[in-house]
Amino acid sequence: MSQTVNVIGAGLAGCEAAWSLARYGINVRLYEMKPEKYSPAHKYSGFAELVCSNSLKASRLESSAGLLKTEMEMLGSLTVPCAKANSVEAGGALAVDRERFSDSVTEAIKNEPLIEVVEGEVKELPEGMCIIATGPLTSGAMADRIKELCGEGLSFYDAAAPIVTYESLDKEKVFFASRYDRGDADYINCPMDKEEYQAFYKALIGAERVELKDFETHPFSVYEGCMPIEVLASRGEDTMRFGPMKPVGITDQRTGRRPYAVVQLRRENKEATLFNLVGFQTNLKFGEQKRVFSMIPGLENAEFMRYGVMHRNTFINSPTLLNSDFSMREHKDIWFAGQITGVEGYMESAASGIIAGTAAARRILGLEPLCLPNDTMLGALSAYISDPFNDGKFQPMGANMGILPDIGVRIKDKKERYGAYARRAVESLEKELKRIGYDKSDR
């Protein structure tokens, strides 16, 4: 094809958009400002960098995250197979060695002859068809262009958890186990008794936090899925015990009893030399993180390879701006993709790139558009971000079974119920792909 589509941003969404276009035989110009310039949260030069957790959530089909990834693979995803090829043990979750995952995606994109990578910051929208996948930390000049297109954005704050080395942990105090013994014993558990927990809680809520920068506003709102641990703790002494420190499903191997609270660590790389503190996103000062988190049993002498950070995320008001294929209502040749649209999560962002890239490609080729059924996870997310009903109350949304239409049959067992939702979704998507004559093996 002689027509070229511009994709701005080589994150998860941008890479999937470019990949989808190329698979349809469309030329792509993929812009990425790294390594010339980095956002406050990005550190690695590769594409599809994971800046928070290294977990892509559950793998099983009868989960919302597993269903989403299955649907993405049905549409020829790049990131899902790259994730599977670079996975690390994490029980029932798909977690990855983040650098190897990034390298794998980068190599695939750079080796695709139909994708031209252009390095450097984009300050003006290129002429022609364009997919904007600049992410929730869009740089200043492009952010100004987006505001001109969309008006003021929506903001909330996101946070990343610390990473420690395995060799620095006290093996006499920690043990490997998965909650409810599901899957392999891939998580390191740091059990606490009541006295230890209360001392930790008091230190945490009294710890000094990083002052927000001048580009950050007060008061700030925090997305519940990435709540800084100190903000969660401030809601009450037992709040953490019903959240990331819940002891349910864990038996302390030293006592044979359930601990009062537990901190879990998840593998960060294939070599299992690095582990992150699950649910411990934070905005504490680095010295305070060292002081307070070293109170966790087993972490007294922990070596912190990365401290937690917090940063601002910005979203457009998608319900007033976008169609369900992520194209703009007022500018038909412009699509958005990724977290900037209000989809929340790594795979959700990647999925939006697939949808936008597929929509653009099929329009160029004059093919029947892909109409994602609302009973699929992809379709439900697309409907959510484009539903005018959400205007004025729009909040980020990740994949979850609650956004799917009722299945119409009462199934008490949750696993069986979710399995029924998943089977319906797969069958529905297969039917739609058959209707439009889609065969990913032809791409």
Side-chain angles (χ1 to χ4, degrees):
M1 292 296 298
S2 59
Q3 185 165 356
T4 297
V5 177
N6 302 291
V7 178
I8 307 176
L12 291 156
C15 286
E16 286 283 22
W19 190 253
S20 295
L21 285 158
R23 290 176 61 251
Y24 275 94
I26 308 296
N27 291 310
V28 182
R29 189 173 293 114
L30 177 62
Y31 296 86
E32 172 54 48
M33 70 179 188
K34 297 188 304 181
E36 177 183 295
K37 183 177 181 179
Y38 288 81
S39 81
H42 291 83
K43 307 295 181 186
Y44 194 61
S45 62
F47 300 162
E49 180 183 1
L50 306 184
V51 299
C52 294
S53 169
N54 68 324
S55 173
L56 305 181
K57 301 181 182 178
S59 296
R60 61 188 185 280
L61 179 62
E62 63 274 10
S63 68
S64 57
L67 173 58
L68 177 67
K69 288 191 280 288
T70 296
E71 293 178 6
M72 291 170 64
E73 286 193 285
M74 292 172 69
L75 290 177
S77 170
L78 168 65
T79 61
V80 174
C82 285
K84 290 181 176 180
N86 293 282
S87 64
V88 298
E89 295 300 325
L94 174 59
V96 301
D97 181 310
R98 66 181 75 213
E99 291 190 2
R100 291 184 180 180
F101 167 71
S102 174
D103 292 344
S104 180
V105 174
T106 304
E107 182 180 9
I109 291 292
K110 289 189 172 181
N111 286 338
E112 169 53 59
L114 292 177
I115 300 176
E116 174 193 1
V117 176
V118 181
E119 294 182 351
E121 183 180 5
V122 179
K123 298 182 179 180
E124 299 289 342
L125 287 179
E127 292 186 5
M129 297 181 75
C130 185
I131 297 176
I132 302 173
T134 51
L137 292 170
T138 301
S139 63
M142 182 52 60
D144 290 340
R145 302 292 82 76
I146 292 172
K147 285 182 180 180
E148 293 170 2
L149 279 173
C150 305
E152 291 299 315
L154 304 176
S155 299
F156 74 91
Y157 286 77
D158 198 2
I163 295 174
V164 298
T165 63
Y166 175 72
E167 66 179 3
S168 67
L169 304 179
D170 187 339
K171 312 306 188 300
E172 297 296 320
K173 295 183 178 181
V174 304
F175 59 90
F176 281 91
S178 291
R179 203 176 297 277
Y180 304 107
D181 292 324
R182 290 176 178 169
D184 296 328
D186 297 323
Y187 288 82
I188 294 176
N189 295 269
C190 307
M192 286 186 179
D193 59 29
K194 185 174 182 178
E195 183 178 350
E196 290 169 331
Y197 176 81
Q198 290 178 334
F200 174 75
Y201 165 75
K202 291 178 181 178
L204 180 59
I205 61 173
E208 192 173 358
R209 305 179 189 182
V210 175
E211 293 184 9
L212 299 179
K213 307 301 182 183
D214 55 3
F215 66 89
E216 299 169 333
T217 57
H218 296 269
F220 64 87
S221 59
V222 182
Y223 175 61
E224 295 290 328
C226 283
M227 179 70 62
I229 190 67
E230 63 273 11
V231 174
L232 182 64
S234 68
R235 296 181 173 182
E237 182 174 321
D238 286 326
T239 309
M240 293 186 294
R241 295 181 60 242
F242 289 91
M245 295 182 68
K246 64 182 178 183
V248 179
I250 297 294
T251 300
D252 187 338
Q253 295 183 355
R254 300 173 302 175
T255 65
R257 300 190 300 271
R258 187 173 78 182
Y260 188 76
V262 65
V263 175
Q264 289 197 308
L265 278 62
R266 180 174 54 228
R267 185 184 297 194
E268 179 69 23
N269 60 354
K270 274 189 177 294
E271 294 77 13
T273 58
L274 300 174
F275 283 76
N276 63 66
L277 280 64
V278 178
F280 270 62
Q281 301 89 354
T282 182
N283 191 43
L284 297 183
K285 290 187 173 181
F286 290 175
E288 291 289 79
Q289 291 184 43
K290 174 67 174 176
R291 178 180 68 87
V292 176
F293 296 152
S294 293
M295 296 175 66
I296 298 171
L299 272 65
E300 292 87 351
N301 298 304
E303 180 183 9
F304 288 81
M305 300 306 293
R306 184 191 73 187
Y307 287 105
V309 295
M310 192 173 79
H311 52 272
R312 187 181 71 181
N313 284 347
T314 303
F315 295 81
I316 61 174
N317 193 6
S318 293
T320 67
L321 298 166
L322 302 184
N323 297 307
S324 61
D325 66 353
F326 291 81
S327 63
M328 295 195 74
R329 295 172 188 166
E330 299 298 325
H331 305 277
K332 67 174 186 177
D333 287 340
I334 297 177
W335 283 258
F336 278 88
Q339 275 192 290
I340 198 169
T341 67
V343 294
E344 174 55 36
Y346 290 139
M347 289 291 94
E348 289 85 345
S349 297
S352 69
I354 297 174
I355 296 169
T358 299
R362 296 187 72 85
R363 183 195 294 179
I364 291 171
L365 297 173
L367 299 174
E368 185 79 12
L370 172 66
C371 297
L372 292 164
N374 284 5
D375 56 5
T376 65
M377 193 58 68
L378 289 170
L381 283 170
S382 301
Y384 175 81
I385 65 97
S386 61
D387 187 353
F389 179 77
N390 290 324
D391 182 28
K393 57 184 179 182
F394 186 54
Q395 292 292 323
M397 179 64 70
N400 67 89
M401 293 296 187
I403 63 175
L404 297 177
D406 189 80
I407 200 160
V409 179
R410 181 173 175 78
I411 304 175
K412 292 185 65 175
D413 182 81
K414 186 170 75 171
K415 184 176 180 179
E416 291 182 7
R417 184 168 68 254
Y418 286 177
Y421 277 110
R423 289 190 296 274
R424 179 186 66 176
V426 170
E427 291 172 2
S428 188
L429 183 55
E430 286 177 340
K431 183 177 180 180
E432 170 60 13
L433 295 180
K434 183 177 181 180
R435 182 190 72 82
I436 64 173
Y438 176 91
D439 183 353
K440 71 177 183 180
S441 65
D442 293 338
R443 305 290 180 253

